[in-house]
Amino acid sequence: MPASSSGGDDNRPHAPNNSVGKIKKASNASRPHNTDQEWTTKTSKKASQAKKVLESYFFNSDGYYIHIDESVPLFLDINGPRPGQMCFTSKVVAPYRKTRNLMLYRICKYKNARVAHERAIKDFLGMPSQIPDPYVVKYPIWSTWARYKVDVNTSSVREFAEEIVDHGFPRGTVEIDDKWETCYGSAEFNTSRFENISKLVKDLKSKGFKTSLWTHPFINLECPIHETAKQKGYLVNSTSGTVNSTWWNGDTSYIDFTNPEAAAWWSNRLRNLLATSGIDTLKFDAGESGWNPQLPVFHDSDLTYYPDNFVNTYIKTAVAFGRGIEYKSSRRSQEFGGLLRMMDRESRWDYQLGLPTLITALIQMNMIGYPFVLPDMIGGNGYFNALPSKEMYIRWMQANVFMPVIQFSYTPWDFDQQTVDVCRNLMNIRANYTDTIIKLMRRSVSEGSPLNPPVWWIDPTDPVSQTIADEYLLGENILVAPVIVQGAKSRDVYLPSGIWRDENHPNSQLIIGRKWLRNYPAKLDVLPWFTRVRAFHHKS
């Protein structure tokens, strides 16, 4: 079933919030490991009920779609006590406290899965109203996070930028991540780490870089500004009368974005920070409703009873900062058209947030109406000192080439010259298609089309195409089949309907689709990818 839905494995509330070369082993800081459309694996009980991107929308290979209104207090069971079954339940228990609609839903049947999804776009999903800043498509993001974790300061950022320049890679955006603040939520630079942030930013710009800064919607309890926000009524309260909660960086409170005054106060502090530092844009983390104190009581009393829609108010506040931003959580926010970042990926080969999930998450997010996906950093995050190997790094880079954005943290020169050469060649290939990506983004705005759909999108009645989860498309005419198995030097590639050219052997005979290419040779420096030169529809 090519379902474009949230996942889950038990009855939980349907409320979001989902030694190598020269690589530096930083502190063991970690982020919550919740996945896109899946439950968290973080040990916190409350965080385990959090998701980052969620839509109550499902469809299958027979052309049925199911949509359940966001006002429904919904619980979802997929492959839980009833293996092979999906069950929807509406009940007013925590985190819900009342409802207007016990079960308001729509089930429709269309010719095939593609037609069903295109109708869903028109009926309720909607489409992006704008595209992200084309700059982030054309030039990579260089994040400090995976490489330095919380050990970030002026010298580490300068070192990072100088290495990028010295190795001749595209400049792009330097993104300063965690631990720059005096305390979480102060929106003030720690001058013991960043003694003169405006000078650092100016120097980076002189080298050809833009800059971005990680931020979040929390104020930790130890932060002096916390009491001010509490007294003003700007923090999410709870039925137990406390604004206190927790996140992965300690005891905290959540800004109540359903309160326009609170949202403006929070935004103005960030705008002042950007103005005084010269930083170009922001990376917005968190936003999931599960980080709220439970049970939450919002300024907007209606959202108090439908807490997952709190996410939309956060994203609505964030998108006012322009098209260069990125954010990580979403609920019925397709219209905003920003870069929606995948949850942190771990540097591993399996489906536990490993390399293969780069593809499955990309497809999943596209098929719930979010085509402008920001993949996680090349090689993953290296959590728990499980750092990417050279092989993993190259395979990750190959998988990412035809996705909307390239994001580095660990660098090719952390490994060896072959890694540098392979990555530079892949960046050169990508450079030939960034205009295509931008053009397809504009098509997503005008038509709602997925940017990186699954293989079955161009052959929706082909039963084989419906099973392919390790290949993806760019638009409708480029098929990418990365190697995502450790040690593999070949892979089976499936080409759906159409006439295809093998771009690794462009002068070879064209291939008629609905065909397996068994044991396609793909040594470490080879990315299997194909161009559809002509559509050719089989009779079903």
Side-chain angles (χ1 to χ4, degrees):
M1 181 175 79
S4 58
S5 64
S6 60
D9 54 8
D10 60 5
N11 268 322
R12 295 184 181 175
H14 193 263
N17 334 60
N18 164 347
S19 161
V20 179
K22 298 188 297 179
I23 292 179
K24 300 167 178 61
K25 289 189 178 181
S27 67
N28 245 343
S30 64
R31 297 274 175 81
H33 304 308
N34 55 320
T35 70
D36 315 289
Q37 334 320 326
E38 297 174 326
W39 297 111
T40 71
T41 56
K42 188 174 170 68
T43 54
S44 160
K45 180 179 179 181
K46 178 162 62 63
S48 72
Q49 296 188 358
K51 283 175 174 264
K52 69 174 234 55
V53 181
L54 173 145
E55 301 298 336
S56 48
Y57 164 53
F58 310 80
F59 65 100
N60 73 4
S61 54
D62 291 329
Y64 284 93
Y65 80 57
I66 302 172
H67 177 244
I68 300 173
D69 190 84
E70 58 264 26
S71 67
V72 172
L74 180 65
F75 290 77
L76 171 66
D77 170 11
I78 300 178
N79 291 325
R82 308 168 186 83
Q85 297 183 31
M86 179 167 63
C87 180
F88 303 102
T89 306
S90 176
K91 51 187 175 182
V92 184
V93 297
Y96 308 106
R97 287 186 280 136
K98 76 174 184 179
T99 184
R100 291 193 305 264
N101 301 301
L102 283 177
M103 186 60 84
L104 180 63
Y105 61 89
R106 182 194 308 225
I107 301 175
C108 296
K109 172 70 168 71
Y110 294 96
K111 181 180 179 182
N112 57 51
R114 175 166 177 162
V115 174
H117 183 65
E118 289 173 333
R119 284 301 316 176
I121 292 169
K122 293 181 173 64
D123 291 345
F124 54 83
L125 278 181
M127 58 189 70
S129 59
Q130 61 180 3
I131 70 169
D133 184 350
Y135 184 89
V136 294
V137 176
K138 287 183 171 290
Y139 306 103
I141 294 171
W142 298 90
S143 172
T144 61
W145 172 251
R147 203 176 200 233
Y148 299 100
K149 299 298 192 296
V150 296
D151 296 331
V152 62
N153 53 40
T154 295
S155 59
S156 62
V157 173
R158 286 191 187 280
E159 173 192 53
F160 198 28
E162 287 167 3
E163 288 183 19
I164 297 164
V165 173
D166 290 345
H167 287 86
F169 271 66
R171 306 300 207 268
T173 302
V174 169
E175 193 166 75
I176 300 171
D177 211 283
D178 202 346
K179 213 64 176 177
W180 57 268
E181 288 178 283
T182 55
C183 54
Y184 289 113
S186 72
E188 295 178 353
F189 271 90
N190 182 344
T191 54
S192 68
R193 287 174 175 259
F194 295 92
E195 58 280 1
N196 190 336
I197 184 61
S198 61
K199 184 178 187 307
L200 174 61
V201 170
K202 184 177 180 181
D203 291 347
L204 290 171
K205 291 187 177 184
S206 72
K207 295 178 184 294
F209 291 100
K210 286 192 174 185
T211 50
S212 179
L213 186 68
W214 173 82
T215 191
H216 54 83
F218 304 106
I219 302 179
N220 275 20
L221 271 54
E222 71 273 12
C223 217
I225 198 71
H226 182 275
E227 186 61 25
T228 300
K230 182 178 178 180
Q231 292 299 322
K232 289 178 177 290
Y234 291 165
L235 305 175
V236 176
N237 209 334
S238 69
T239 52
S240 58
T242 181
V243 299
N244 295 358
S245 187
T246 59
W247 65 311
W248 61 91
N249 280 325
D251 295 327
T252 197
S253 294
Y254 221 149
I255 298 294
D256 187 348
F257 293 96
T258 77
N259 180 348
E261 189 175 315
W265 176 80
W266 180 82
S267 296
N268 288 338
R269 293 166 67 239
L270 287 179
R271 291 188 192 285
N272 181 63
L273 181 67
L274 294 179
T276 55
S277 67
I279 287 170
D280 294 291
T281 191
L282 294 165
K283 169 184 179 176
F284 292 94
D285 210 341
E288 303 93 334
S289 67
W291 299 115
N292 281 304
Q294 299 298 309
L295 294 169
V297 177
F298 301 123
H299 178 82
D300 184 326
S301 59
D302 189 48
L303 290 188
T304 289
Y305 302 103
Y306 304 101
D308 55 342
N309 286 290
F310 169 81
V311 182
N312 188 275
T313 65
Y314 172 52
I315 304 307
K316 186 176 182 180
T317 305
V319 297
F321 284 84
R323 295 195 298 160
I325 68 163
E326 60 182 85
Y327 45 90
K328 193 195 74 173
S329 57
S330 195
R331 171 68 161 134
R332 293 295 293 122
S333 301
Q334 290 89 344
E335 65 180 293
F336 296 133
L339 278 179
L340 184 57
R341 177 170 67 89
M342 289 185 189
M343 187 58 215
D344 298 12
R345 258 55 198 168
E346 296 185 14
S347 303
R348 46 196 298 167
W349 291 94
D350 58 25
Y351 280 88
Q352 299 299 311
L353 283 182
L355 171 56
T357 68
L358 196 69
I359 300 172
T360 54
L362 175 79
I363 292 171
Q364 180 82 340
M365 293 165 78
N366 268 266
M367 302 312 292
I368 52 173
Y370 299 103
F372 308 146
V373 179
L374 173 57
D376 200 24
M377 302 154 198
I378 304 296
N381 280 259
Y383 286 127
F384 315 115
N385 287 326
L387 303 173
S389 65
K390 168 185 171 178
E391 178 191 8
M392 176 184 289
Y393 191 87
I394 289 175
R395 293 307 195 189
W396 204 297
M397 178 74 195
Q398 290 169 344
N400 202 155
V401 168
F402 289 99
M403 296 182 187
V405 178
I406 295 284
Q407 184 176 195
F408 290 106
S409 189
Y410 297 126
T411 68
W413 50 93
D414 285 328
F415 300 91
D416 60 13
Q417 189 59 44
Q418 184 190 19
T419 309
V420 171
D421 292 341
V422 170
C423 290
R424 182 176 283 117
N425 289 339
L426 290 166
M427 288 299 290
N428 289 338
I429 292 173
R430 176 181 172 82
N432 293 328
Y433 289 91
T434 53
D435 286 341
T436 299
I437 294 172
I438 293 165
K439 179 180 178 181
L440 289 167
M441 283 181 164
R442 293 198 168 100
R443 183 182 172 199
S444 295
V445 170
S446 62
E447 301 178 18
S449 313
L451 183 67
N452 290 118
V455 168
W456 62 259
W457 184 251
I458 57 174
D459 200 355
T461 61
D462 176 21
V464 179
S465 293
Q466 294 165 359
T467 68
I468 303 299
D470 59 356
E471 304 174 13
Y472 69 91
L473 300 174
L474 172 60
E476 299 189 12
N477 294 319
I478 294 176
L479 183 145
V480 190
V483 174
I484 54 175
V485 176
Q486 185 176 14
K489 298 295 188 294
S490 66
R491 63 156 292 166
D492 293 343
V493 177
Y494 185 74
L495 299 178
S497 181
I499 298 177
W500 298 87
R501 179 173 61 240
D502 180 349
E503 294 296 346
N504 287 297
H505 307 93
N507 297 321
S508 61
Q509 187 174 356
L510 296 177
I511 305 163
I512 297 176
R514 286 203 175 176
K515 180 177 182 179
W516 280 103
L517 306 181
R518 299 292 184 183
N519 297 311
Y520 182 96
K523 59 183 182 178
L524 187 57
D525 62 349
V526 174
L527 166 64
W529 65 289
F530 304 79
T531 299
R532 187 172 68 157
V533 297
R534 185 157 65 90
F536 178 80
H537 296 291
H538 287 79
K539 291 183 179 180
S540 299

